Amino acid sequence: GHYGRGEFFVCFGIGRAMGQVRNIFLATLVIAIAGVIYVFTPPKEFPNRLVAIPEENTTIDNAFYNADEFALTWWNPEALLNGLMKLNPGRVGFFVRKWNEELGADIVANGKFLDGGCGGGIATEELARRGFNMVGIDISPKSLATARKHAEENGITNVRYQEGSAYAIPFPDNTFDGVIISDVLEHIHDLPSALREIQRVLKPNGVLVYDTITRTRVSL
């Protein structure tokens, strides 16, 4: 058959438009697949996480937790950091179960427990509410002030907070029956030093429990 000139250009225009739609669809699909792969693939591992990582080689920004917009809002239900409250049932339940299993009822009731890197006290205070005698340390003075204020306002008396680093825990040897490191290990560039300090302040047969964020770009 033969097309008139007008019919030819109409068909050509429709074909060209359909080709553009197909190309856009394919490009979008490729980008979406690449995005999914990127998001759910863990960042590149360091060769050995059990040796100190030079600070200049990391992107750990612990100053984030001392900025007013974050440090003062740990307990604000609409704030970013309060999302950690949603983790409490799982992580605190795990800590309590392990301490009860490993230490026994007498130590759980009368022992002394440390939260290293306590932030605004979200896990620390929950453990205190469950009867543990808690001490929380953190390098952020503003986060600690938020933790103290919230405990005082809620009448929690079996918890106290003080400034301190995982690399130099400000307590004597053999002080604590249990230590928690909750969502902190991913903020530490020198794990061996931190773990030696934790071991130092734990009593013989003391128990360390921890949780850490899944290392995918979704979590980061």
Side-chain angles (χ1 to χ4, degrees):
H2 299 281
Y3 291 100
R5 181 171 179 172
E7 292 174 312
F8 171 78
F9 281 113
V10 168
C11 292
F12 176 76
I14 292 173
R16 184 177 182 184
M18 291 298 291
Q20 290 175 335
V21 169
R22 184 181 66 252
N23 290 340
I24 292 171
F25 171 77
L26 291 174
T28 303
L29 181 62
V30 169
I31 291 170
I33 292 172
V36 168
I37 293 171
Y38 177 83
V39 163
F40 288 99
T41 301
K44 183 179 179 181
E45 295 281 352
F46 287 100
N48 186 352
R49 192 63 175 91
L50 292 179
V51 298
I53 301 167
E55 291 190 59
E56 62 271 17
N57 292 348
T58 73
T59 55
I60 299 172
D61 184 11
N62 290 326
F64 168 92
Y65 296 95
N66 205 46
D68 285 353
E69 61 266 36
F70 298 108
L72 305 182
T73 61
W74 285 89
W75 295 92
N76 180 344
E78 298 180 357
L80 175 65
L81 292 177
N82 191 256
L84 294 172
M85 287 289 291
K86 296 178 181 178
L87 301 179
N88 263 1
R91 63 181 181 174
V92 172
F94 170 77
F95 301 153
V96 170
R97 185 172 73 253
K98 286 301 178 182
W99 278 342
N100 275 288
E101 290 173 356
E102 300 293 334
L103 296 172
D106 183 63
I107 292 177
V108 164
N110 301 295
K112 192 173 183 179
F113 298 85
L114 174 71
D115 184 354
C118 64
I122 287 177
T124 329
E125 186 172 307
E126 179 60 25
L127 286 162
R129 289 176 185 273
R130 298 194 188 200
F132 294 90
N133 298 307
M134 296 300 303
V135 176
I137 64 169
D138 202 275
I139 60 173
S140 167
K142 292 180 180 178
S143 287
L144 290 169
T146 298
R148 288 191 196 98
K149 182 173 183 289
H150 194 270
E152 291 169 2
E153 290 174 347
N154 288 272
I156 310 297
T157 58
N158 58 325
V159 61
R160 66 185 180 91
Y161 297 99
Q162 73 178 74
E163 193 170 343
S165 166
Y167 303 125
I169 299 174
F171 292 96
D173 297 358
N174 307 322
T175 296
F176 297 100
D177 297 283
V179 175
I180 69 167
I181 299 291
S182 183
D183 300 326
V184 171
L185 295 177
E186 65 272 20
H187 296 274
I188 292 177
H189 69 273
D190 188 351
L191 281 177
S193 292
L195 293 173
R196 280 193 296 270
E197 272 295 275
I198 292 168
Q199 183 181 38
R200 181 185 65 77
V201 299
L202 270 173
K203 294 179 181 178
N205 301 315
V207 177
L208 165 67
V209 289
Y210 69 92
D211 71 306
T212 189
I213 297 294
T214 301
R215 294 190 67 255
T216 66
R217 291 180 175 88
V218 170
S219 62
L220 295 176

